[in-house]
Amino acid sequence: MAKMSDLIEVFIKELFEDNAADVVEIQRNELASYFKCAPSQINYVLTTRFSVDKGYLIESQRGGGGSIKIVHVKQDRDSAFASVLEEVGDSTTVMKADQIITFIQQQGYISQREGKIMRAAVSDRAVAAPVNMRNEIRAGILKAMLLSAYAARE
C-alpha cells in the first residue's frame, strides 16, 4: 500500500492535470479531512514534494482554513539553473542535493549517468570532512558541478 504522502502528492499532481493549469489552490484543512490525516501531513508533502527545486512555488495564506496556492513554474534553462544554485546556498544536505540533482535530471539538463556521478561526489562517503563542515563543502562541490554542467550544455 502506498504511503499517505505518496497519495497526497499524486492527488495534487492530478489536480494540475485535471485543470490543465499551472496554478492549483487548495484548502489545507479540507485536504487533511479528505485524507483523514493531520494538516501537518499536508504541510510535509508540500515542503518535500512541491519545492522550488522541483519546479513549484507555494503561497500560503493565513486564516480561512489554510488556503494554499501551488504554482508550477515552467522555467527556461537559465532561470532553472539560477534557481537551483540559489537553492543550494552556502550549505546543503545530502537529501537536498539529491532533490536538486533529480530536478535537473528530470528537466533534461544532465543525463542519468551524470546524475549518478554527482550523487556520488556529494555523498557523505565522498565528503570526508568533520560533520560540522560537510554541508558547506557539499554545497561548494555541487555548485561547481552544476556550473560545469550548465557550461557544457551551451
Side-chain angles (χ1 to χ4, degrees), residues 54-107:
K54 293 190 173 137
Y56 295 93
L57 295 175
I58 305 293
E59 296 176 18
S60 183
Q61 298 170 352
R62 300 277 182 224
S67 177
I68 298 170
K69 184 188 293 186
I70 307 167
V71 181
H72 189 218
V73 181
K74 305 252 193 297
Q75 297 177 322
D76 63 26
R77 184 173 171 273
D78 292 343
S79 8
F81 268 94
S83 295
V84 165
L85 287 170
E86 185 177 320
E87 189 73 19
V88 172
D90 295 329
S91 174
T92 195
T93 64
V94 171
M95 187 171 143
K96 182 59 117 179
D98 182 61
Q99 291 172 347
I100 289 168
I101 293 166
T102 298
F103 171 73
I104 62 170
Q105 198 173 335
Q106 289 173 341
Q107 298 300 311

Side-chain angles (χ1 to χ4, degrees), residues 26-32 39 42 60-68:
I26 60 170
Q27 295 288 95
R28 181 179 44 249
N29 291 341
E30 287 180 19
L31 198 55
I42 305 301
S60 183
Q61 298 170 352
R62 300 277 182 224
S67 177
I68 298 170

Side-chain angles (χ1 to χ4, degrees), residues 8-149:
I8 296 168
E9 176 186 12
V10 168
F11 180 85
I12 293 172
K13 286 184 175 178
E14 285 176 353
L15 289 176
F16 279 103
E17 291 173 15
D18 292 346
N19 294 331
D22 293 333
V23 177
V24 168
E25 289 193 47
I26 60 170
Q27 295 288 95
R28 181 179 44 249
N29 291 341
E30 287 180 19
L31 198 55
S33 177
Y34 177 81
F35 282 101
K36 295 178 177 53
C37 67
S40 61
Q41 181 76 30
I42 305 301
N43 289 344
Y44 171 79
V45 171
L46 292 174
T47 57
T48 60
R49 315 262 176 114
F50 294 90
S51 55
V52 172
D53 56 299
K54 293 190 173 137
Y56 295 93
L57 295 175
I58 305 293
E59 296 176 18
S60 183
Q61 298 170 352
R62 300 277 182 224
S67 177
I68 298 170
K69 184 188 293 186
I70 307 167
V71 181
H72 189 218
V73 181
K74 305 252 193 297
Q75 297 177 322
D76 63 26
R77 184 173 171 273
D78 292 343
S79 8
F81 268 94
S83 295
V84 165
L85 287 170
E86 185 177 320
E87 189 73 19
V88 172
D90 295 329
S91 174
T92 195
T93 64
V94 171
M95 187 171 143
K96 182 59 117 179
D98 182 61
Q99 291 172 347
I100 289 168
I101 293 166
T102 298
F103 171 73
I104 62 170
Q105 198 173 335
Q106 289 173 341
Q107 298 300 311
Y109 301 137
I110 62 170
S111 69
Q112 186 174 12
R113 180 175 182 268
E114 291 167 327
K116 286 181 180 181
I117 293 167
M118 290 175 117
R119 283 183 185 86
V122 297
S123 70
D124 278 339
R125 176 179 274 177
V127 183
V131 175
N132 63 338
M133 297 174 60
R134 280 187 190 156
N135 289 344
E136 289 81 16
I137 294 169
R138 186 182 342 274
I141 293 168
L142 183 56
K143 281 182 178 179
M145 288 187 299
L146 290 168
L147 290 169
S148 180

